[in-house]
Amino acid sequence: MSNPVTFQKINAHKSINNFVSSFWLVENNSDQDYAVVVMPDASFDFVITKKKNEPLHCILMGINTTFSNAFIEADTRMMVINFKLLAAEYILKSSVADLLNGGQSLPDDFWNTEESDFNDFNLFAEKITEHIQLLSGKAIDPRKQKLSQLIYASSGEMTVKELSENAYWNSRQINRYFTQYFGLPLKKFCNILRFRSSFKQINEGNLFPELNYSDQPHFEREVKKLTGANLRTLFKNKNDRFIQVSLLGNL
């Protein structure tokens, strides 16, 4: 079966890029469900789903630490906001630790979302951007801001010790913060982000580690643990089943 699912992406405006990485529009306009493997990508997400002849459904998804099999259902459209770490405390003003590998339903009009938002994806991104700007008035703790910047800039390759030293923040306090707000330790989050950063090389057929994996077997073990598949299966990606490799690997 060829892939009936289409995607659009808008990168977050610089005014909110402490909190959001991107917006996605996902559409399956066919009459068949499409099977995919969802892999960890080091984000937590606000997902708005519109199925044919059904009301909107809003859900907040936590960070995933392992893969899951899923379907993009027939006649379904989704808009997704990919959040960065600082969004939990400073935008959502809530921990997402209890949502690890899961999600929580939100009111159907959360953040004033409505069915007409699907008419213009660009306007939706602008609307949410303005809303986040209004929510982001609180000053960010400089240690947390520096830590976040280092994590993303290094694609998760810096060690906990290096991050602690450069953010001027005790590693035990950092891990307490991560456990409290995200439900996992910093090292595990960085491992997931490092894996997500390898999608491009896998998509291009370069199956040797370019990031700071200790050796080839280490890279292969991490990939197997996070995806349930080996590197060659990910590269072949039959029917675009591993959709994040296809999408993020081409960016």
Side-chain angles (χ1 to χ4, degrees):
M1 176 183 177
S2 61
N3 186 353
V5 181
T6 60
F7 300 86
Q8 294 182 53
K9 179 192 177 189
I10 298 174
N11 288 323
H13 187 269
K14 63 182 180 181
S15 64
I16 63 166
N17 65 9
N18 277 322
F19 312 111
V20 174
S21 61
S22 55
F23 301 87
W24 289 86
L25 173 64
V26 182
E27 298 181 283
N28 180 1
N29 293 315
S30 76
D31 59 359
Q32 297 184 49
D33 296 346
Y34 189 70
V36 296
V37 177
V38 179
M39 301 182 297
D41 63 0
S43 73
F44 52 101
D45 308 307
F46 174 29
V47 183
I48 307 138
T49 302
K50 178 67 179 77
K51 299 179 183 179
K52 189 175 182 179
N53 301 321
E54 293 185 21
L56 292 184
H57 180 57
C58 297
I59 188 168
L60 181 63
M61 301 296 299
I63 294 171
N64 287 325
T65 62
T66 188
F67 69 96
S68 61
N69 295 299
F71 288 93
I72 300 176
E73 296 183 29
D75 292 314
T76 295
R77 306 171 77 194
M78 294 184 289
M79 290 190 292
V80 182
I81 304 168
N82 291 147
F83 287 120
K84 291 183 176 180
L85 292 168
L86 293 174
E89 179 177 0
Y90 292 96
I91 301 301
L92 299 174
K93 298 175 174 54
S94 173
S95 166
V96 295
D98 290 344
L99 305 183
L100 190 71
N101 296 316
Q104 171 187 311
S105 292
L106 299 170
D108 292 344
D109 60 351
F110 186 76
W111 283 2
N112 299 316
T113 53
E114 52 193 358
E115 190 170 334
S116 62
D117 288 330
F118 281 92
N119 295 336
D120 192 318
F121 181 45
N122 287 288
L123 282 179
F124 167 76
E126 291 176 10
K127 169 182 171 178
I128 296 298
T129 297
E130 291 174 0
H131 190 77
I132 290 174
Q133 288 169 342
L134 292 174
L135 293 172
S136 61
K138 181 182 175 182
I140 300 173
D141 182 325
R143 298 171 305 168
K144 295 173 182 176
Q145 185 161 29
K146 183 65 174 178
L147 178 67
S148 176
Q149 290 169 344
L150 290 168
I151 290 170
Y152 291 113
S154 68
S155 299
E157 289 194 271
M158 293 180 71
T159 66
V160 172
K161 183 175 184 293
E162 290 170 334
L163 290 167
S164 172
E165 290 174 349
N166 282 275
Y168 302 103
W169 195 7
N170 181 278
S171 60
R172 290 185 180 180
Q173 293 177 331
I174 292 174
N175 275 315
R176 280 199 295 270
Y177 169 71
F178 262 74
T179 301
Q180 176 187 351
Y181 272 96
F182 311 110
L184 75 172
L186 171 59
K187 182 177 180 180
K188 190 165 188 176
F189 178 85
C190 287
N191 286 345
I192 294 170
L193 181 59
R194 179 180 59 179
F195 162 68
R196 179 250 182 267
S197 300
S198 70
F199 290 171
K200 181 175 176 61
Q201 70 166 88
I202 294 171
N203 190 57
E204 293 173 347
N206 182 1
L207 307 185
F208 297 94
E210 294 181 351
L211 302 174
N212 68 342
Y213 294 94
S214 58
D215 52 27
Q216 182 70 23
H218 180 209
F219 186 34
E220 292 175 350
R221 285 195 304 272
E222 284 293 301
V223 168
K224 181 72 172 180
K225 179 172 67 176
L226 293 170
T227 70
N230 60 39
L231 282 164
R232 192 158 297 280
T233 299
L234 282 183
F235 168 58
K236 290 181 179 178
N237 199 9
K238 187 176 181 181
N239 295 328
D240 289 330
R241 192 162 60 99
F242 299 95
I243 55 172
Q244 289 141 300
V245 171
S246 302
L247 293 172
L248 301 176
N250 282 316
L251 298 178

